[in-house]
Amino acid sequence: MNTPRQDLPDEHIDALYHEVHINTGGETIHAKRAPGRFRTIKNYTMLVWLFLFLGPYMRWDGKQAIMFDIPGRQFHIFDITILPQDVWMLALVLLFFALLLAAVTSIAGRVFCGYFCFQTVWTDVFTWLDEKFEGPPLKRRKLDHAPWTFEKIRIKVAKHTIWILIGLLTGISFTLWFGDAPTLWKEYLTLQAPLFAWITVGTFTFFTYVFAGFMREQVCFWLCPYARLQGMMYDCETILPTYDYHRGEPRGKLKKKADDSGQKLGDCIDCRQCVAVCPTGIDIRDGQQEGCITCALCIDACDVIMDKIKRPRGLIRYASLDEMEGKPQLPLLKRPRVLVYFGIMLFSIAGIIYGLNTLGTLELKALHERQPLFVMQSDGSIQNKYVLKILNKTDKKMQVAVSASGHPDLKLVGAEEPLTLPKGRVSPHTVYVRIPNAKLERDTLPIYFRVQDITTPDHVVEYKSMFFGPKK
Amino acid sequence: MSDKKTNQVGDTGHVWDDNLRELLNEPPRWWMISFYASIAWVVVYFILYPAIPLVNGYTKGIMGWTQIKEYKEDLQKIEQVRAPWENKIKGMTPAAILADSELTNYTVSSAKVLFGDRCAACHGAGGAGNPGFPVLADDDWLFGGTVDAIQESIAAGRQGMMPGFKDQLSEKEIDELTDFVMALSQGNGDSQPAGKALFDGAGCSGCHGADGKGMHMMGAPNLTDGIWRFASQDQRASVRYTIAHGVNTGEKDARNAVMPSFENQLSKTDIVKLTVYVHELGGGQ
């Protein structure tokens, strides 16, 4: 077996201490695509985005299964209809995903970036097209520098057309979530879609084309706020694609001839395959760095080389900083950070479950008339005027009985007959409350309105308001 | 990378504070693109929109855009939104509108501005009333609280009349009458027999009714409730003044209480809308 040998020690040391290269996008990264374990995983995880494209076509009860009807102010998710009044749950959904992101990051690094993020996924698809149209990285670089021949134009035009089509499909698919998919498609094909839809599609197409086609890793480096936050979620127990420098260093080129200089070299043969496959163009051997999206493609590349030179796999592997330092590793459930993250996630899930179970059918608000606050009636009673804003969340008209309480001599006027509520929206109803002035002990007192569905008495809401009278 | 570049470019020779040099770096391309795009934008804007002031007038721009035109177009859009409702209301009576809760809601919302412009100066926002001007939100009406009466009040205006009694009655008699009216409002008019005799004898009951409950036809207020047409901190003095000097007699010191007519100022539909609005303030009958 050949022994790796360090043939250029000076240069090697220089390389170790050379000024850190900053990727500012001046160069196009043509990463090599190589098969491997993590490549396969990424291929599967990328598929979650098919949901963006296929989701809008799901039907449920003859309607679109998931639709975010913004003009109608209703979200339909299968059987559930969410009105603006319930949108507080959206905050919990966002909280859950934010914490999921944090928890996953603290356990296994930028899993989202590496395997799920639309930026890296779309970029991956676009570079796959690069390879299909222009060939492997070497050929692509050559083509970039080649003069504009007919052949080059043909290849470039074809590739960019496909890119734009993908962008267009992305934009259209996005808008389909906000309207009836078949109707919207018909409107797109007959060029009759609403202006706002066109603007959205145009924006998405443009940014898909520019971000996935040209800016690529620059988005991760300079635009993405999330990339900046992640460092805070890492700790010494976070497992990340890590170069095992104990094993690898000192690195050196593999020599064909046996060398008896006596110097023992590490397992890294400095083949630079890990750099060649990196989509953000970094060198993982420089250690943990902001450019690493933890896609683990360097692990795949290195494993292939290790197999070839008959060394154990894992010179680059998922490992924590503690593991590299030979420190004992804390079990997952003893890491406070992870526990806190999961605690908050449980809280938000509990909140969403509670919210979905108590969506209710009715909502009530009573607006007290302030001009005038109260009037004296000719029978000596004090009258307050209220506008009851009643939301009927069901999809049918509803008959409700209104009552008020809060004073023994209170009289409710204007709701003697049951009120009819139109479906799915708020309707205002004016009512008056009268209390004899002589019976009022204070100038303000709380009043409780109660609205009850006549056919289903379980559906009931209460609202507390105030009654105002003359100063006592 | 930028450091490497700066090392290659020269400077203007302008050095200050020992080592600060003004370099000959080109501005970034994105910046120059924005710069030229801004210039192009200005040129296009000047061609399309009113821009350059001239001695008599200004350049109009080829789009013919003006602020007032945009305002009118926006107004038209709003009227289009309102049109279905307005067309329905046109020709309807207030009673017919009130029978439909959707139409009532629309009318109340759209008449709010009308009320603010035409009525609120005296009657207060929301019909809360003002000193000397009746509250419209209660159920105490001088000329009646039915829709027809309210519509009549708005369209034709109202002017009640009450003679002053300072020449017919002595000071003492006016005091007695005042005491009776004050007692009446508390429900014990019988405690003032002298005043009651004057009330019947001097002709008060002709308008205010034998029981003092008032008469809508004359606009004579109900004296038995606690609501005063001319409410005041010192209510007794106010009542006494009204009895002595009267209302709308034409005399200089008489009380003045005139509701103007809006027939010639407002369209029929507007009057109908206001009727509905006033009716819905809280006291409509």
Side-chain angles (χ1 to χ4, degrees):
Chain A
M1 204 183 107
N2 296 319
T3 315
R5 185 178 62 88
Q6 192 172 7
D7 49 349
L8 291 167
D10 285 350
E11 216 177 277
H12 177 64
I13 290 160
D14 278 352
L16 275 178
Y17 293 105
H18 84 292
E19 194 190 340
V20 177
H21 171 80
I22 299 170
N23 178 4
T24 54
E27 64 222 276
T28 308
I29 292 168
H30 288 295
K32 193 172 131 184
R33 296 179 80 86
R37 259 192 305 163
F38 291 103
R39 176 73 254 173
T40 315
I41 293 174
K42 191 177 168 91
N43 286 348
Y44 284 116
T45 57
M46 279 164 69
L47 292 180
V48 301
W49 284 103
L50 277 180
F51 191 62
L52 171 79
F53 294 96
L54 301 178
Y57 307 107
M58 275 191 299
R59 312 301 285 184
W60 188 265
D61 265 352
K63 288 187 297 186
Q64 191 158 321
I66 302 176
M67 186 160 95
F68 304 110
D69 181 1
I70 303 281
R73 292 178 198 175
Q74 290 185 343
F75 288 180
H76 301 281
I77 301 167
F78 296 101
D79 267 344
I80 305 167
T81 301
I82 296 176
L83 296 171
Q85 286 78 1
D86 300 314
V87 161
W88 58 271
M89 278 190 283
L90 182 68
L92 288 184
V93 173
L94 295 179
L95 180 69
F96 173 78
F97 281 110
L99 266 296
L100 180 67
L101 213 57
V104 168
T105 307
S106 84
I107 294 169
R110 292 163 67 176
V111 170
F112 175 73
C113 299
Y115 300 92
F116 295 98
C117 174
F118 38 85
Q119 174 61 29
T120 61
V121 166
W122 260 250
T123 301
D124 199 60
V125 172
F126 275 42
T127 50
W128 178 76
L129 287 168
D130 274 348
E131 184 133 325
K132 287 291 151 212
F133 279 99
E134 301 175 0
L138 201 68
K139 256 180 106 178
R140 301 214 289 269
R141 264 186 218 106
K142 231 164 112 185
L143 187 73
D144 281 351
H145 293 113
W148 283 96
T149 60
F150 176 75
E151 179 63 9
K152 183 176 174 178
I153 291 171
R154 191 190 63 76
I155 291 172
K156 291 279 179 194
V157 166
K159 187 184 81 174
H160 285 261
T161 309
I162 301 288
W163 279 5
I164 288 169
L165 282 178
I166 290 176
L168 205 59
L169 194 63
T170 307
I172 289 176
S173 296
F174 178 78
T175 58
L176 295 184
W177 289 87
F178 299 91
D180 182 57
T183 316
L184 214 50
W185 261 118
K186 210 176 289 165
E187 287 175 343
Y188 282 130
L189 294 176
T190 53
L191 303 179
Q192 279 167 348
L195 178 67
F196 192 69
W198 288 119
I199 292 172
T200 310
V201 171
T203 312
F204 266 78
T205 310
F206 176 77
F207 282 109
T208 307
Y209 178 65
V210 172
F211 279 8
F214 300 94
M215 291 186 66
R216 296 187 174 174
E217 83 287 349
Q218 297 304 308
V219 173
C220 310
F221 274 91
W222 314 113
L223 276 181
C224 179
Y226 177 53
R228 308 272 140 165
L229 291 173
Q230 318 224 30
M232 287 188 286
M233 299 160 193
Y234 287 175
D235 51 28
C236 294
E237 282 112 23
T238 307
I239 55 165
L240 303 163
T242 310
Y243 166 64
D244 187 345
Y245 56 90
H246 296 301
R247 222 186 102 185
E249 298 297 316
R251 65 184 82 153
K253 287 237 164 15
L254 197 64
K255 278 288 175 185
K256 278 179 184 159
K257 251 194 314 184
D259 192 310
D260 41 1
S261 65
Q263 189 166 19
K264 186 83 176 108
L265 286 177
D267 278 351
C268 177
I269 59 166
D270 210 9
C271 62
R272 296 179 64 81
Q273 282 302 312
C274 52
V275 181
V277 297
C278 181
T280 61
I282 60 162
D283 188 342
I284 192 69
R285 297 170 301 171
D286 293 342
Q288 212 186 87
Q289 53 201 291
E290 64 152 5
C292 178
I293 58 168
T294 75
C295 64
L297 295 179
C298 48
I299 300 183
D300 282 347
C302 190
D303 283 350
V304 171
I305 301 297
M306 288 300 114
D307 287 352
K308 275 184 187 158
I309 63 167
K310 300 199 172 57
R311 297 274 168 176
R313 288 182 168 197
L315 177 61
I316 303 175
R317 64 175 184 276
Y318 265 108
S320 70
L321 218 59
D322 275 355
E323 189 188 335
M324 278 296 143
E325 299 296 336
K327 287 184 193 160
Q329 289 159 70
L330 273 179
L332 201 60
L333 291 177
K334 281 196 178 159
R335 290 163 59 184
R337 184 190 293 261
V338 175
L339 290 179
V340 169
Y341 286 151
F342 278 112
I344 302 174
M345 275 160 72
L346 271 176
F347 159 77
S348 53
I349 285 192
I352 296 163
I353 291 172
Y354 168 80
L356 289 178
N357 278 322
T358 54
L359 272 178
T361 46
L362 279 169
E363 238 173 66
L364 170 67
K365 274 200 173 66
L367 308 182
H368 188 277
E369 173 68 53
R370 276 163 292 182
Q371 282 178 324
L373 212 49
F374 59 87
V375 287
M376 168 83 98
Q377 296 290 93
S378 49
D379 63 0
S381 63
I382 302 296
Q383 174 172 289
N384 279 211
K385 183 181 181 182
Y386 301 86
V387 178
L388 301 182
K389 300 244 176 190
I390 314 175
L391 168 65
N392 169 10
K393 293 190 192 174
T394 64
D395 51 4
K396 287 182 206 76
K397 273 191 181 178
M398 198 193 278
Q399 295 265 317
V400 291
V402 179
S403 56
S405 59
H407 193 280
D409 297 296
L410 167 154
K411 193 179 164 209
L412 181 69
V413 181
E416 293 80 4
E417 298 289 313
L419 302 177
T420 306
L421 308 179
K423 57 176 186 179
R425 64 183 178 88
V426 176
S427 51
H429 305 271
T430 306
V431 296
Y432 308 95
V433 171
R434 284 183 199 155
I435 300 175
N437 194 15
K439 300 278 176 65
L440 273 173
E441 293 94 28
R442 288 177 291 144
D443 50 356
T444 62
L445 74 153
I447 288 280
Y448 303 90
F449 288 101
R450 185 182 166 88
V451 171
Q452 189 164 29
D453 185 356
I454 284 175
T455 48
T456 325
D458 284 355
H459 299 161
V460 63
V461 269
E462 275 208 335
Y463 190 84
K464 182 189 165 195
S465 184
M466 294 302 282
F467 185 91
F468 291 81
K471 280 261 179 297
K472 295 275 174 185
Chain B
M1 197 170 91
S2 53
D3 277 348
K4 279 180 204 158
K5 252 189 188 169
T6 37
N7 293 341
Q8 291 159 7
V9 293
D11 56 50
T12 55
H14 183 191
V15 181
W16 67 104
D17 284 355
D18 292 340
N19 56 359
L20 294 179
R21 296 177 299 132
E22 188 177 344
L23 299 178
L24 289 172
N25 272 325
E26 277 183 29
R29 200 187 320 160
W30 68 265
W31 195 91
M32 290 308 290
I33 290 171
S34 320
F35 179 62
Y36 289 121
S38 308
I39 292 173
W41 171 262
V42 167
V43 172
V44 171
Y45 183 94
F46 270 49
I47 294 168
L48 294 180
Y49 286 96
I52 308 163
L54 304 172
V55 178
N56 30 356
Y58 54 89
T59 57
K60 299 275 194 291
I62 58 170
M63 295 228 317
W65 181 92
T66 64
Q67 249 176 0
I68 198 75
K69 209 167 108 187
E70 189 172 275
Y71 163 72
K72 280 178 181 160
E73 281 166 3
D74 284 353
L75 207 60
Q76 224 165 21
K77 272 185 213 154
I78 294 171
E79 272 163 15
Q80 264 170 15
V81 174
R82 290 178 182 162
W85 299 95
E86 292 290 338
N87 291 340
K88 242 191 228 172
I89 287 173
K90 201 168 270 178
M92 279 178 88
T93 62
I97 293 173
L98 284 165
D100 182 330
S101 68
E102 293 264 314
L103 281 181
T104 306
N105 281 338
Y106 170 78
T107 309
V108 168
S109 314
S110 73
K112 197 173 180 178
V113 178
L114 267 176
F115 188 87
D117 287 351
R118 306 285 181 161
C119 318
C122 294
H123 290 291
N130 270 322
F133 300 97
V135 175
L136 300 180
D138 60 14
D139 67 342
D140 184 56
W141 299 94
L142 294 168
F143 293 89
T146 61
V147 276
D148 292 338
I150 295 171
Q151 191 172 16
E152 173 73 19
S153 298
I154 298 169
R158 296 288 190 184
Q159 186 167 0
M161 210 286 279
M162 169 169 159
F165 289 87
K166 62 177 190 300
D167 300 331
Q168 287 175 47
L169 300 176
S170 69
E171 291 286 311
K172 185 175 167 280
E173 283 172 326
I174 292 178
D175 274 333
E176 283 169 355
L177 196 49
T178 306
D179 287 337
F180 169 70
V181 172
M182 289 304 289
L184 195 59
S185 75
Q186 266 124 49
N188 50 353
D190 293 339
S191 66
Q192 303 287 336
K196 178 153 177 50
L198 279 167
F199 185 80
D200 295 331
C204 306
S205 56
C207 293
H208 290 290
D211 52 3
K213 295 221 157 156
M215 200 185 289
H216 286 162
M217 217 202 307
M218 315 294 295
N222 182 350
L223 300 176
T224 63
D225 57 21
I227 301 169
W228 298 104
R229 173 67 184 81
F230 303 103
S232 162
Q233 291 289 337
D234 185 355
Q235 193 55 47
R236 193 183 178 284
S238 171
V239 171
R240 194 181 189 287
Y241 188 93
T242 311
I243 294 171
H245 299 284
V247 180
N248 292 336
T249 59
E251 301 263 336
K252 186 161 71 70
D253 43 7
R255 289 203 187 268
N256 202 1
V258 180
M259 159 86 186
S261 155
F262 285 90
E263 223 159 20
N264 299 325
Q265 299 184 41
L266 293 173
S267 70
K268 273 216 173 70
T269 313
D270 282 350
I271 288 174
V272 167
K273 278 183 172 180
L274 274 177
T275 304
V276 171
Y277 183 84
V278 171
H279 187 271
E280 288 302 286
L281 282 175
Q285 287 155 0

